[in-house]
PDB file of all heavy atoms in Angstrom:
ATOM      1  N   ILE A1297       8.282   5.766   7.820  1.00  0.00           N
ATOM      2  CA  ILE A1297       7.213   4.737   8.106  1.00  0.00           C
ATOM      3  C   ILE A1297       6.848   4.156   6.775  1.00  0.00           C
ATOM      4  O   ILE A1297       6.709   2.890   6.683  1.00  0.00           O
ATOM      5  CB  ILE A1297       5.998   5.397   8.844  1.00  0.00           C
ATOM      6  CG1 ILE A1297       6.375   5.742  10.290  1.00  0.00           C
ATOM      7  CG2 ILE A1297       4.793   4.430   8.753  1.00  0.00           C
ATOM      8  CD1 ILE A1297       5.289   6.490  11.005  1.00  0.00           C
ATOM      9  N   LEU A1305       7.770  -5.601   8.318  1.00  0.00           N
ATOM     10  CA  LEU A1305       6.768  -6.679   8.372  1.00  0.00           C
ATOM     11  C   LEU A1305       7.235  -7.865   7.547  1.00  0.00           C
ATOM     12  O   LEU A1305       6.956  -9.039   7.905  1.00  0.00           O
ATOM     13  CB  LEU A1305       5.447  -6.181   7.816  1.00  0.00           C
ATOM     14  CG  LEU A1305       4.763  -5.058   8.638  1.00  0.00           C
ATOM     15  CD1 LEU A1305       3.487  -4.628   8.022  1.00  0.00           C
ATOM     16  CD2 LEU A1305       4.537  -5.481  10.068  1.00  0.00           C
ATOM     17  N   GLY A1309       7.529 -11.690   8.851  1.00  0.00           N
ATOM     18  CA  GLY A1309       6.962 -12.785   8.043  1.00  0.00           C
ATOM     19  C   GLY A1309       8.024 -13.877   7.780  1.00  0.00           C
ATOM     20  O   GLY A1309       7.755 -15.055   7.861  1.00  0.00           O
ATOM     21  N   GLY A1318      11.493 -24.542  10.107  1.00  0.00           N
ATOM     22  CA  GLY A1318      12.819 -24.847  10.595  1.00  0.00           C
ATOM     23  C   GLY A1318      13.979 -24.416   9.790  1.00  0.00           C
ATOM     24  O   GLY A1318      15.152 -24.737  10.092  1.00  0.00           O
ATOM     25  N   PRO A1321      15.831 -17.908   7.821  1.00  0.00           N
ATOM     26  CA  PRO A1321      15.232 -16.950   6.913  1.00  0.00           C
ATOM     27  C   PRO A1321      16.244 -16.409   5.935  1.00  0.00           C
ATOM     28  O   PRO A1321      17.451 -16.247   6.233  1.00  0.00           O
ATOM     29  CB  PRO A1321      14.772 -15.800   7.856  1.00  0.00           C
ATOM     30  CG  PRO A1321      15.607 -15.996   9.063  1.00  0.00           C
ATOM     31  CD  PRO A1321      15.881 -17.436   9.207  1.00  0.00           C
ATOM     32  N   GLY A1351       3.109   6.014 -10.377  1.00  0.00           N
ATOM     33  CA  GLY A1351       2.287   5.656 -11.561  1.00  0.00           C
ATOM     34  C   GLY A1351       0.834   5.512 -11.217  1.00  0.00           C
ATOM     35  O   GLY A1351      -0.013   5.892 -11.991  1.00  0.00           O
ATOM     36  N   PHE A1395      -4.499 -14.774 -10.218  1.00  0.00           N
ATOM     37  CA  PHE A1395      -5.855 -14.218 -10.060  1.00  0.00           C
ATOM     38  C   PHE A1395      -6.903 -15.138 -10.650  1.00  0.00           C
ATOM     39  O   PHE A1395      -7.979 -15.324 -10.065  1.00  0.00           O
ATOM     40  CB  PHE A1395      -5.993 -12.838 -10.741  1.00  0.00           C
ATOM     41  CG  PHE A1395      -5.331 -11.748  -9.915  1.00  0.00           C
ATOM     42  CD1 PHE A1395      -3.956 -11.478  -9.990  1.00  0.00           C
ATOM     43  CD2 PHE A1395      -6.083 -10.896  -9.170  1.00  0.00           C
ATOM     44  CE1 PHE A1395      -3.332 -10.499  -9.259  1.00  0.00           C
ATOM     45  CE2 PHE A1395      -5.513  -9.851  -8.428  1.00  0.00           C
ATOM     46  CZ  PHE A1395      -4.143  -9.679  -8.448  1.00  0.00           C
ATOM     47  N   ALA A1441       7.780  -5.845  -0.958  1.00  0.00           N
ATOM     48  CA  ALA A1441       7.730  -6.842   0.117  1.00  0.00           C
ATOM     49  C   ALA A1441       7.009  -8.060  -0.348  1.00  0.00           C
ATOM     50  O   ALA A1441       7.428  -9.251  -0.086  1.00  0.00           O
ATOM     51  CB  ALA A1441       7.086  -6.225   1.338  1.00  0.00           C
ATOM     52  N   ARG A1473     -16.020  12.249  10.795  1.00  0.00           N
ATOM     53  CA  ARG A1473     -16.097  13.596  10.097  1.00  0.00           C
ATOM     54  C   ARG A1473     -15.106  13.633   8.963  1.00  0.00           C
ATOM     55  O   ARG A1473     -14.236  12.752   8.848  1.00  0.00           O
ATOM     56  CB  ARG A1473     -15.847  14.722  11.100  1.00  0.00           C
ATOM     57  CG  ARG A1473     -14.452  14.706  11.657  1.00  0.00           C
ATOM     58  CD  ARG A1473     -14.226  15.807  12.716  1.00  0.00           C
ATOM     59  NE  ARG A1473     -14.303  17.092  12.086  1.00  0.00           N
ATOM     60  CZ  ARG A1473     -13.279  17.697  11.429  1.00  0.00           C
ATOM     61  NH1 ARG A1473     -12.136  17.055  11.335  1.00  0.00           N
ATOM     62  NH2 ARG A1473     -13.388  18.841  10.889  1.00  0.00           N
ATOM     63  N   ASN A1481      -4.647  20.899   8.015  1.00  0.00           N
ATOM     64  CA  ASN A1481      -3.748  22.067   7.948  1.00  0.00           C
ATOM     65  C   ASN A1481      -4.296  23.212   8.808  1.00  0.00           C
ATOM     66  O   ASN A1481      -3.598  24.104   9.266  1.00  0.00           O
ATOM     67  CB  ASN A1481      -3.656  22.537   6.469  1.00  0.00           C
ATOM     68  CG  ASN A1481      -2.727  21.618   5.691  1.00  0.00           C
ATOM     69  OD1 ASN A1481      -1.892  20.922   6.254  1.00  0.00           O
ATOM     70  ND2 ASN A1481      -2.846  21.646   4.379  1.00  0.00           N
ATOM     71  N   ALA A1483      -6.124  22.639  11.566  1.00  0.00           N
ATOM     72  CA  ALA A1483      -6.266  22.151  12.937  1.00  0.00           C
ATOM     73  C   ALA A1483      -5.181  22.720  13.856  1.00  0.00           C
ATOM     74  O   ALA A1483      -4.144  23.036  13.406  1.00  0.00           O
ATOM     75  CB  ALA A1483      -6.182  20.599  12.977  1.00  0.00           C
TER      76      ALA A1483
END
Side-chain angles (χ1 to χ4, degrees):
I1297 289 172
L1305 296 180
F1395 283 81
R1473 64 183 293 277
N1481 286 340

